[in-house]
Amino acid sequence: MSSWVPVPEGSGFPLENLPYGVFDAGIGRRIGVAIGEHVVDLYALADAGLVPHGEALQDVDLNGFLGLGRDVWHEVRVRLIDLLTEGNTAIRDAGIEALYPQSAVTMHLPFVPGDYVDFYSSMEHAVNLGKLFRPDSEPLLPNWRHLPIGYHGRSSTVVVSGTPVRRPRGQVRPGDGPPEEGPTQALDIELEVGFVTGPGNELGVPIDVDDAGDHIFGLVLVNDWSARDIQRWEYQPLGPFLGKSFVTTVSPWVVPLEALTGYLIPGPTQDPEPLSYLRAEGDWGVDLQLEAALASPAMDEPDVIARTSYGGMYWTMAQQLAHITSNGTAIRPGDLYASGTISGAEPGSYGSLIEITWGGRDPITLSDGSQRRYLEDGDTVVLRGWCHRPGLPRIGFGECLGTIVP
Ligand code: MN
């Protein structure tokens, strides 16, 4: 193993990305950043005095570092880019082992979410679900265009990519018959992007929509696994509950918002214009491409079942954060705020199986010849995300993966 860090060619983790994660190379959990196919050990760099704020970087999760705020994140990022630029021999000169192949480490949950919230911010998804769940009424409820709808999820069941997804049991009501209890027969994915918070706010003091950038550290891919039969029976009147809270998977690398500067785009036109506390200056959409892929145990490579973009989301991160704190609620470093299922307008761009198969009516055929309405035991789902535009570095989000077990 070498301490020399090459600048990678064509990798999803270029020098400009430097996503943060928590890895274990057999010596306990450490904070690292990804570059190329490698992970750089920030514990070791801090030990050698090569990076500032070493105390926070020598922790076993990112929460302490997240709480230090935007100026510190920037200071560390600038230092890391300098250290990892070809020609800088400081790491080599220090004589430390600071570089591991990603294939040789185990990734852990990078942050410990005190709270997890899931929004419902894709209009295309909300319309599709409205049609499927309430076929006899307007698909969008009257409040949808006025505020970012969401629900409080369950932080204890947020897990890192690769964690098996146990098929949940629950109460369902088949047709108009009596309710029954048993394993879900409608296990689904939700292709989402989440943001991870930095410094929180004082209880009772809302975060101004134009200060959102001081409180958002970075983004992860999120699979908000959902049991549709449980959800359909339980969700009225108070919203999602056990049909969602059994497990939520996040990708292991948190891509800093600062790495996405070149990919920020205007959000969609909002009609009607939102209330003033939801009107943000600047661009808060992210030109981020997404896909979901599914493999049965018989398949070597997963089939892509959805391609969509985060860029078309109706409600932005800044609006979501301003809205959730508008009543004075306190957020904390390491909280997770997920977007809601991301769907486009076209078939093929739907971020959940309930939309792709239209409630199970139109099953899909996988390349091994088998059909799916919902997930079967042994199925593996992989979410991927990347930003790519000519003249800008490709910013990869890595993978968010889970395999269904009985
Ligand atoms: Mn969701």
Side-chain angles (χ1 to χ4, degrees):
M1 195 175 303
S2 157
S3 299
W4 173 243
V5 181
V7 177
E9 297 277 343
S11 154
F13 298 115
L15 195 53
E16 295 86 351
N17 188 345
L18 293 184
Y20 282 79
V22 170
F23 72 99
D24 189 342
I27 46 176
R29 296 185 191 204
R30 291 186 169 191
I31 294 172
V33 291
I35 180 169
E37 300 298 317
H38 291 84
V39 52
V40 181
D41 180 356
L42 298 192
Y43 187 103
L45 296 193
D47 234 16
L50 292 172
V51 283
H53 308 285
E55 196 176 330
L57 293 171
Q58 290 190 319
D59 211 338
V60 294
D61 59 59
L62 285 170
N63 287 42
F65 178 64
L66 298 177
L68 295 181
R70 194 177 186 175
D71 292 344
V72 167
W73 307 334
H74 178 71
E75 183 188 354
V76 172
R77 178 178 168 81
V78 167
R79 179 67 181 138
L80 287 174
I81 289 175
D82 177 40
L83 278 174
L84 299 172
T85 296
E86 194 165 3
N88 187 328
T89 60
I91 296 175
R92 188 168 42 187
D93 295 347
I96 54 171
E97 294 294 341
L99 189 68
Y100 299 89
Q102 285 185 38
S103 58
V105 305
T106 304
M107 298 305 296
H108 290 277
L109 192 63
F111 52 93
V112 180
D115 280 293
Y116 161 49
V117 164
D118 194 24
F119 285 96
Y120 194 53
S121 289
S122 158
M123 181 182 287
E124 291 78 6
H125 172 73
V127 166
N128 285 339
L129 268 277
K131 288 177 181 170
L132 285 161
F133 275 21
R134 297 179 303 275
D136 300 324
S137 51
E138 270 296 304
L140 277 190
L141 292 171
N143 55 8
W144 199 91
R145 287 173 183 269
H146 293 278
L147 55 88
I149 300 289
Y151 68 94
H152 284 95
R154 189 147 186 89
S155 57
S156 66
T157 44
V158 174
V159 300
V160 74
S161 176
T163 306
V165 177
R166 192 165 301 279
R167 179 179 296 275
R169 301 176 65 91
Q171 187 178 134
V172 302
R173 186 190 186 195
D176 294 328
E180 298 170 358
E181 193 274 342
T184 177
Q185 300 302 308
L187 185 53
D188 200 353
I189 64 167
E190 292 198 337
L191 169 55
E192 306 194 15
V193 170
F195 67 82
V196 182
T197 48
N201 54 321
E202 192 184 327
L203 182 65
V205 181
I207 292 175
D208 189 282
V209 68
D210 287 320
D211 293 336
D214 293 339
H215 299 272
I216 297 174
F217 172 71
L219 276 62
V220 289
L221 304 176
V222 179
N223 191 341
D224 177 31
W225 306 90
S226 299
R228 301 300 180 191
D229 44 3
I230 299 171
Q231 181 184 356
R232 181 184 287 273
W233 175 228
E234 73 176 2
Y235 88 105
Q236 287 180 323
L238 285 184
F241 195 36
L242 305 188
K244 301 278 194 172
S245 61
F246 50 97
V247 67
T248 303
T249 305
V250 298
S251 52
W253 298 107
V254 187
V255 175
L257 194 57
E258 194 174 354
L260 297 168
T261 308
Y263 292 101
L264 297 181
I265 56 175
T269 303
Q270 294 179 315
D271 182 21
E273 186 178 30
L275 295 174
S276 59
Y277 79 98
L278 292 171
R279 283 183 222 147
E281 296 290 326
D283 294 339
W284 274 100
V286 185
D287 185 11
L288 165 56
Q289 307 307 310
L290 299 163
E291 67 180 29
L294 170 59
S296 76
M299 293 161 60
D300 293 330
E301 288 294 320
D303 292 340
V304 174
I305 59 169
R307 286 195 174 90
T308 187
S309 167
Y310 182 56
M313 296 295 277
Y314 192 86
W315 295 104
T316 66
M317 289 181 276
Q319 292 176 317
Q320 290 166 345
L321 191 63
H323 182 66
I324 196 158
T325 61
S326 63
N327 68 350
T329 201
I331 67 156
R332 291 171 290 188
D335 285 355
L336 175 64
Y337 296 88
S339 58
T341 309
I342 302 166
S343 293
E346 315 298 328
S349 67
Y350 297 161
S352 66
L353 283 168
I354 192 174
E355 292 167 273
I356 294 169
T357 69
W358 207 253
R361 186 191 70 189
D362 307 322
I364 54 172
T365 302
L366 300 178
S367 55
D368 69 350
S370 64
Q371 289 198 320
R372 290 292 181 281
R373 290 181 165 81
Y374 292 102
L375 298 172
E376 297 190 358
D377 294 344
D379 284 352
T380 296
V381 175
V382 187
L383 309 182
R384 304 187 187 99
W386 64 93
C387 299
H388 187 52
R389 199 186 287 161
L392 289 176
R394 183 185 187 279
I395 302 293
F397 280 67
E399 291 188 338
C400 180
L401 179 151
T403 298
I404 311 302
V405 297

PDB file of all heavy atoms in Angstrom, residues 123-133 139 343-344 350 355 358:
ATOM      1  N   MET A 123     -43.713  16.468  -8.125  1.00  0.00           N
ATOM      2  CA  MET A 123     -45.114  16.592  -8.522  1.00  0.00           C
ATOM      3  C   MET A 123     -45.557  15.383  -9.343  1.00  0.00           C
ATOM      4  O   MET A 123     -46.661  14.866  -9.160  1.00  0.00           O
ATOM      5  CB  MET A 123     -45.346  17.868  -9.327  1.00  0.00           C
ATOM      6  CG  MET A 123     -46.811  18.019  -9.728  1.00  0.00           C
ATOM      7  SD  MET A 123     -47.135  19.463 -10.725  1.00  0.00           S
ATOM      8  CE  MET A 123     -46.981  20.737  -9.501  1.00  0.00           C
ATOM      9  N   GLU A 124     -44.684  14.900 -10.220  1.00  0.00           N
ATOM     10  CA  GLU A 124     -45.057  13.762 -11.062  1.00  0.00           C
ATOM     11  C   GLU A 124     -45.364  12.537 -10.191  1.00  0.00           C
ATOM     12  O   GLU A 124     -46.323  11.809 -10.435  1.00  0.00           O
ATOM     13  CB  GLU A 124     -43.926  13.446 -12.050  1.00  0.00           C
ATOM     14  CG  GLU A 124     -43.731  14.517 -13.117  1.00  0.00           C
ATOM     15  CD  GLU A 124     -42.988  15.766 -12.628  1.00  0.00           C
ATOM     16  OE1 GLU A 124     -42.505  15.773 -11.474  1.00  0.00           O
ATOM     17  OE2 GLU A 124     -42.904  16.734 -13.405  1.00  0.00           O
ATOM     18  N   HIS A 125     -44.545  12.318  -9.151  1.00  0.00           N
ATOM     19  CA  HIS A 125     -44.799  11.189  -8.252  1.00  0.00           C
ATOM     20  C   HIS A 125     -46.089  11.402  -7.462  1.00  0.00           C
ATOM     21  O   HIS A 125     -46.898  10.478  -7.324  1.00  0.00           O
ATOM     22  CB  HIS A 125     -43.620  11.022  -7.293  1.00  0.00           C
ATOM     23  CG  HIS A 125     -43.874  10.000  -6.217  1.00  0.00           C
ATOM     24  ND1 HIS A 125     -43.890   8.646  -6.468  1.00  0.00           N
ATOM     25  CD2 HIS A 125     -44.153  10.145  -4.887  1.00  0.00           C
ATOM     26  CE1 HIS A 125     -44.152   7.988  -5.340  1.00  0.00           C
ATOM     27  NE2 HIS A 125     -44.321   8.871  -4.366  1.00  0.00           N
ATOM     28  N   ALA A 126     -46.288  12.604  -6.957  1.00  0.00           N
ATOM     29  CA  ALA A 126     -47.491  12.864  -6.152  1.00  0.00           C
ATOM     30  C   ALA A 126     -48.755  12.680  -6.995  1.00  0.00           C
ATOM     31  O   ALA A 126     -49.763  12.142  -6.521  1.00  0.00           O
ATOM     32  CB  ALA A 126     -47.428  14.277  -5.563  1.00  0.00           C
ATOM     33  N   VAL A 127     -48.697  13.090  -8.255  1.00  0.00           N
ATOM     34  CA  VAL A 127     -49.854  12.904  -9.140  1.00  0.00           C
ATOM     35  C   VAL A 127     -50.091  11.414  -9.387  1.00  0.00           C
ATOM     36  O   VAL A 127     -51.223  10.922  -9.304  1.00  0.00           O
ATOM     37  CB  VAL A 127     -49.639  13.667 -10.471  1.00  0.00           C
ATOM     38  CG1 VAL A 127     -50.647  13.221 -11.528  1.00  0.00           C
ATOM     39  CG2 VAL A 127     -49.730  15.166 -10.245  1.00  0.00           C
ATOM     40  N   ASN A 128     -49.019  10.676  -9.672  1.00  0.00           N
ATOM     41  CA  ASN A 128     -49.185   9.238  -9.917  1.00  0.00           C
ATOM     42  C   ASN A 128     -49.771   8.524  -8.704  1.00  0.00           C
ATOM     43  O   ASN A 128     -50.693   7.715  -8.825  1.00  0.00           O
ATOM     44  CB  ASN A 128     -47.830   8.604 -10.280  1.00  0.00           C
ATOM     45  CG  ASN A 128     -47.398   8.932 -11.700  1.00  0.00           C
ATOM     46  OD1 ASN A 128     -48.227   9.292 -12.544  1.00  0.00           O
ATOM     47  ND2 ASN A 128     -46.105   8.820 -11.971  1.00  0.00           N
ATOM     48  N   LEU A 129     -49.233   8.823  -7.505  1.00  0.00           N
ATOM     49  CA  LEU A 129     -49.725   8.153  -6.295  1.00  0.00           C
ATOM     50  C   LEU A 129     -51.158   8.561  -5.989  1.00  0.00           C
ATOM     51  O   LEU A 129     -51.966   7.746  -5.521  1.00  0.00           O
ATOM     52  CB  LEU A 129     -48.809   8.453  -5.103  1.00  0.00           C
ATOM     53  CG  LEU A 129     -47.679   7.462  -4.835  1.00  0.00           C
ATOM     54  CD1 LEU A 129     -48.165   6.268  -4.026  1.00  0.00           C
ATOM     55  CD2 LEU A 129     -47.011   6.964  -6.113  1.00  0.00           C
ATOM     56  N   GLY A 130     -51.477   9.820  -6.272  1.00  0.00           N
ATOM     57  CA  GLY A 130     -52.858  10.267  -6.083  1.00  0.00           C
ATOM     58  C   GLY A 130     -53.820   9.477  -6.957  1.00  0.00           C
ATOM     59  O   GLY A 130     -54.878   9.037  -6.509  1.00  0.00           O
ATOM     60  N   LYS A 131     -53.421   9.278  -8.207  1.00  0.00           N
ATOM     61  CA  LYS A 131     -54.277   8.512  -9.127  1.00  0.00           C
ATOM     62  C   LYS A 131     -54.437   7.066  -8.662  1.00  0.00           C
ATOM     63  O   LYS A 131     -55.510   6.474  -8.773  1.00  0.00           O
ATOM     64  CB  LYS A 131     -53.678   8.523 -10.539  1.00  0.00           C
ATOM     65  CG  LYS A 131     -53.778   9.862 -11.254  1.00  0.00           C
ATOM     66  CD  LYS A 131     -53.080   9.765 -12.613  1.00  0.00           C
ATOM     67  CE  LYS A 131     -53.127  11.093 -13.355  1.00  0.00           C
ATOM     68  NZ  LYS A 131     -52.245  11.075 -14.546  1.00  0.00           N
ATOM     69  N   LEU A 132     -53.321   6.497  -8.136  1.00  0.00           N
ATOM     70  CA  LEU A 132     -53.364   5.083  -7.735  1.00  0.00           C
ATOM     71  C   LEU A 132     -54.117   4.876  -6.424  1.00  0.00           C
ATOM     72  O   LEU A 132     -54.839   3.893  -6.265  1.00  0.00           O
ATOM     73  CB  LEU A 132     -51.932   4.545  -7.598  1.00  0.00           C
ATOM     74  CG  LEU A 132     -51.201   4.268  -8.919  1.00  0.00           C
ATOM     75  CD1 LEU A 132     -49.697   4.190  -8.713  1.00  0.00           C
ATOM     76  CD2 LEU A 132     -51.724   2.967  -9.542  1.00  0.00           C
ATOM     77  N   PHE A 133     -53.937   5.791  -5.456  1.00  0.00           N
ATOM     78  CA  PHE A 133     -54.515   5.597  -4.125  1.00  0.00           C
ATOM     79  C   PHE A 133     -55.905   6.220  -4.006  1.00  0.00           C
ATOM     80  O   PHE A 133     -56.710   5.774  -3.194  1.00  0.00           O
ATOM     81  CB  PHE A 133     -53.590   6.178  -3.042  1.00  0.00           C
ATOM     82  CG  PHE A 133     -52.499   5.235  -2.592  1.00  0.00           C
ATOM     83  CD1 PHE A 133     -52.091   4.176  -3.383  1.00  0.00           C
ATOM     84  CD2 PHE A 133     -51.877   5.410  -1.359  1.00  0.00           C
ATOM     85  CE1 PHE A 133     -51.088   3.311  -2.968  1.00  0.00           C
ATOM     86  CE2 PHE A 133     -50.863   4.547  -0.930  1.00  0.00           C
ATOM     87  CZ  PHE A 133     -50.474   3.494  -1.739  1.00  0.00           C
ATOM     88  N   PRO A 139     -55.871  14.183  -8.174  1.00  0.00           N
ATOM     89  CA  PRO A 139     -54.653  13.513  -7.686  1.00  0.00           C
ATOM     90  C   PRO A 139     -53.838  14.372  -6.714  1.00  0.00           C
ATOM     91  O   PRO A 139     -53.305  13.852  -5.739  1.00  0.00           O
ATOM     92  CB  PRO A 139     -53.869  13.195  -8.965  1.00  0.00           C
ATOM     93  CG  PRO A 139     -54.526  13.932 -10.074  1.00  0.00           C
ATOM     94  CD  PRO A 139     -55.920  14.256  -9.650  1.00  0.00           C
ATOM     95  N   SER A 343     -39.830  11.080  -9.549  1.00  0.00           N
ATOM     96  CA  SER A 343     -40.346  10.557 -10.813  1.00  0.00           C
ATOM     97  C   SER A 343     -40.365  11.663 -11.841  1.00  0.00           C
ATOM     98  O   SER A 343     -40.570  12.836 -11.514  1.00  0.00           O
ATOM     99  CB  SER A 343     -41.773  10.003 -10.638  1.00  0.00           C
ATOM    100  OG  SER A 343     -41.764   8.859  -9.811  1.00  0.00           O
ATOM    101  N   GLY A 344     -40.174  11.285 -13.102  1.00  0.00           N
ATOM    102  CA  GLY A 344     -40.346  12.219 -14.203  1.00  0.00           C
ATOM    103  C   GLY A 344     -41.723  12.039 -14.813  1.00  0.00           C
ATOM    104  O   GLY A 344     -42.548  11.261 -14.323  1.00  0.00           O
ATOM    105  N   TYR A 350     -40.088   6.656 -13.685  1.00  0.00           N
ATOM    106  CA  TYR A 350     -40.801   6.567 -12.406  1.00  0.00           C
ATOM    107  C   TYR A 350     -39.905   5.923 -11.348  1.00  0.00           C
ATOM    108  O   TYR A 350     -39.318   4.874 -11.585  1.00  0.00           O
ATOM    109  CB  TYR A 350     -42.081   5.748 -12.543  1.00  0.00           C
ATOM    110  CG  TYR A 350     -43.115   6.329 -13.490  1.00  0.00           C
ATOM    111  CD1 TYR A 350     -44.123   5.528 -14.015  1.00  0.00           C
ATOM    112  CD2 TYR A 350     -43.091   7.678 -13.857  1.00  0.00           C
ATOM    113  CE1 TYR A 350     -45.086   6.044 -14.874  1.00  0.00           C
ATOM    114  CE2 TYR A 350     -44.044   8.196 -14.713  1.00  0.00           C
ATOM    115  CZ  TYR A 350     -45.034   7.381 -15.232  1.00  0.00           C
ATOM    116  OH  TYR A 350     -45.974   7.891 -16.083  1.00  0.00           O
ATOM    117  N   GLU A 355     -45.467   2.762  -9.357  1.00  0.00           N
ATOM    118  CA  GLU A 355     -45.714   3.579 -10.554  1.00  0.00           C
ATOM    119  C   GLU A 355     -45.309   2.823 -11.825  1.00  0.00           C
ATOM    120  O   GLU A 355     -46.037   2.846 -12.819  1.00  0.00           O
ATOM    121  CB  GLU A 355     -44.924   4.886 -10.471  1.00  0.00           C
ATOM    122  CG  GLU A 355     -45.395   5.830  -9.383  1.00  0.00           C
ATOM    123  CD  GLU A 355     -44.394   6.942  -9.157  1.00  0.00           C
ATOM    124  OE1 GLU A 355     -43.444   6.743  -8.358  1.00  0.00           O
ATOM    125  OE2 GLU A 355     -44.538   7.999  -9.784  1.00  0.00           O
ATOM    126  N   TRP A 358     -47.781   0.299 -12.412  1.00  0.00           N
ATOM    127  CA  TRP A 358     -49.094   0.928 -12.207  1.00  0.00           C
ATOM    128  C   TRP A 358     -49.958   0.110 -11.228  1.00  0.00           C
ATOM    129  O   TRP A 358     -50.987  -0.455 -11.573  1.00  0.00           O
ATOM    130  CB  TRP A 358     -49.824   1.191 -13.527  1.00  0.00           C
ATOM    131  CG  TRP A 358     -50.751   2.358 -13.351  1.00  0.00           C
ATOM    132  CD1 TRP A 358     -52.113   2.330 -13.265  1.00  0.00           C
ATOM    133  CD2 TRP A 358     -50.381   3.728 -13.141  1.00  0.00           C
ATOM    134  NE1 TRP A 358     -52.607   3.597 -13.008  1.00  0.00           N
ATOM    135  CE2 TRP A 358     -51.558   4.476 -12.941  1.00  0.00           C
ATOM    136  CE3 TRP A 358     -49.142   4.398 -13.089  1.00  0.00           C
ATOM    137  CZ2 TRP A 358     -51.548   5.856 -12.700  1.00  0.00           C
ATOM    138  CZ3 TRP A 358     -49.142   5.762 -12.847  1.00  0.00           C
ATOM    139  CH2 TRP A 358     -50.336   6.470 -12.663  1.00  0.00           C
TER     140      TRP A 358
END
